[in-house]
Amino acid sequence: MKIDSKGNLIIGSLAIIAITLFLISIFIVTSVNFIESENTQLKSNNEFKYIVDDYDRNLEVLERQSISEATQKVYNGLPIFNSKNQIKKNLDKHLNEKNKEFEKKYGVKISSQTVDVENTNSPWKILFKVKLNVEKNSIKYSGIVERNASVEGLKDPLPLAKLTIASGILTYDEKIHYKNAIAGYMVLHNFKSPESYIEATAPMYIQKCPYDPYIHHGDPGVLDDCLKKGYFHESADGSCYLCRLEGKGKCPHYGLEVFIQTHTYLKNESLSCSDHVVFSDHYNGVKINESDPNSLILDNSHRKKYGLI
């Protein structure tokens, strides 16, 4: 279009400027709203992620508590026939309580359920799988959360699960005091020299032995320290924690063993003192030091494993 006057040129320029400013204003307002929306969404997502992470951080504590409660049931004289189911039941109870706590604290809806309790390639840890659903406003999370719980520091359930409190076992001073329980068990099964195990003792709490490789137990002072501290050891022949809860002295999983220490002046050949031997494998050994009433009774293979030949 031909502009035939200076006035028309000015009006046209002003119109173009006004339209440009209007479009810029719309762009700025839209951008600000978009940024605010993005920031709000990001903040909501970060808060939601914190809630899920906080719940996840609580799982290991609840899992360990659930194992400990199963162990205490054994110490109270009640048998456990399926340790996984018992621990699942314990954990689901705690999860329900935690879900109510989070709903009150964060205004979030949570449902969760224990899917599985499994052995790992480490006898010191148990794997838990928990199905978790979390929802807050329009944000949702659903998935399987996996966490390992350590059994270190928990009570050893095997002695009570195997022999029961009716056998006369006592637990004090952080030790298992077998009194006549193992001797009676050996008499019942016609094992040799049951009197050697009268007043035998063993550690009550699971503690991982730091002297690894175990052949170092043959070094000066190491075995004495191991017995004094009450350390447990990894063993392909020993029973895992889940099977220990069921009173199984041996199982197909990679497990644990601990020395049952005799306190006798007798020099008789008797059951080798590794707990899986006493409670399951039943083969004999002899004292390492015949003149020491607190000497371990060990077979050749265990002597070799611990460097005591």
Side-chain angles (χ1 to χ4, degrees):
M1 178 178 68
K2 182 179 180 181
I3 300 176
D4 55 2
S5 71
K6 186 177 181 180
N8 288 339
L9 180 61
I10 293 173
I11 292 171
S13 298
L14 289 175
I16 292 171
I17 292 171
I19 292 171
T20 302
L21 290 174
F22 178 72
L23 292 174
I24 291 173
S25 298
I26 292 175
F27 174 76
I28 291 173
V29 170
T30 303
S31 298
V32 169
N33 289 336
F34 176 77
I35 292 170
E36 289 180 349
S37 176
E38 284 288 293
N39 287 338
T40 301
Q41 184 68 25
L42 180 61
K43 183 179 179 181
S44 297
N45 285 338
N46 286 339
E47 289 175 349
F48 186 79
K49 184 178 183 301
Y50 173 82
I51 293 170
V52 174
D53 289 344
D54 190 21
Y55 192 93
D56 188 24
R57 284 189 292 270
N58 279 270
L59 284 179
E60 185 174 353
V61 175
L62 299 179
E63 290 161 359
R64 185 175 164 86
Q65 184 178 350
S66 300
I67 302 169
S68 179
E69 288 172 350
T71 301
Q72 191 57 47
K73 182 178 179 180
V74 172
Y75 272 68
N76 291 338
L78 300 173
I80 291 179
F81 301 106
N82 190 319
S83 59
K84 291 184 179 182
N85 284 348
Q86 181 63 57
I87 294 171
K88 282 182 185 180
K89 180 180 177 181
N90 294 346
L91 181 55
D92 283 338
K93 178 190 69 175
H94 292 303
L95 291 176
N96 287 334
E97 293 170 355
K98 185 60 64 176
N99 295 346
K100 293 175 183 177
E101 177 188 324
F102 268 58
E103 183 176 357
K104 183 177 181 180
K105 184 177 180 180
Y106 296 117
V108 62
K109 183 179 179 181
I110 300 181
S111 63
S112 54
Q113 183 179 18
T114 309
V115 177
D116 205 359
V117 179
E118 301 177 359
N119 287 295
T120 68
N121 56 6
S122 166
W124 313 104
K125 296 182 182 297
I126 296 174
L127 174 64
F128 286 78
K129 296 181 181 180
V130 175
K131 174 66 175 176
L132 180 61
N133 295 293
V134 187
E135 182 177 351
K136 184 173 185 181
N137 300 327
S138 60
I139 309 175
K140 297 181 181 180
Y141 169 84
S142 180
I144 302 291
V145 180
E146 297 188 5
R147 274 278 187 174
N148 285 327
S150 172
V151 300
E152 291 186 66
L154 299 182
K155 293 178 180 177
D156 180 15
L158 179 58
L160 276 296
K162 182 70 177 181
L163 300 177
T164 78
I165 59 175
S167 66
I169 290 179
L170 297 178
T171 56
Y172 58 90
D173 296 336
E174 300 188 355
K175 287 185 177 182
I176 303 290
H177 295 263
Y178 284 102
K179 299 301 180 179
N180 293 318
I182 293 181
Y185 168 81
M186 291 174 67
V187 169
L188 186 64
H189 292 85
N190 296 314
F191 297 137
K192 190 173 183 178
S193 189
E195 63 274 13
S196 296
Y197 275 87
I198 295 175
E199 297 292 339
T201 58
M204 188 189 308
Y205 293 94
I206 304 285
Q207 297 183 82
K208 184 177 181 179
C209 184
Y211 298 113
D212 191 1
Y214 295 150
I215 196 170
H216 286 300
H217 284 68
D219 297 345
V222 173
L223 180 61
D224 288 341
D225 187 61
C226 178
L227 294 175
K228 181 180 178 180
K229 302 287 178 56
Y231 292 134
F232 282 67
H233 308 88
E234 296 185 17
S235 171
D237 297 318
S239 181
C240 73
Y241 199 90
L242 293 176
C243 289
R244 296 174 91 87
L245 280 165
E246 298 171 1
K248 297 175 182 176
K250 189 173 183 177
C251 70
H253 315 109
Y254 193 51
L256 303 168
E257 69 177 352
V258 69
F259 298 127
I260 297 176
Q261 190 171 2
T262 57
H263 307 282
T264 178
Y265 286 96
L266 296 175
K267 302 176 183 180
N268 301 353
E269 179 180 320
S270 189
L271 290 178
S272 186
C273 70
S274 174
D275 62 347
H276 71 84
V277 179
V278 173
F279 293 135
S280 182
D281 289 322
H282 304 145
Y283 48 81
N284 289 342
V286 295
K287 274 189 171 184
I288 297 173
N289 183 351
E290 288 188 350
S291 62
D292 182 2
N294 298 314
S295 174
L296 296 181
I297 299 173
L298 286 180
D299 57 279
N300 285 335
S301 64
H302 278 92
R303 290 188 185 208
K304 183 176 180 180
K305 175 179 178 179
Y306 292 99
L308 300 171
I309 294 179

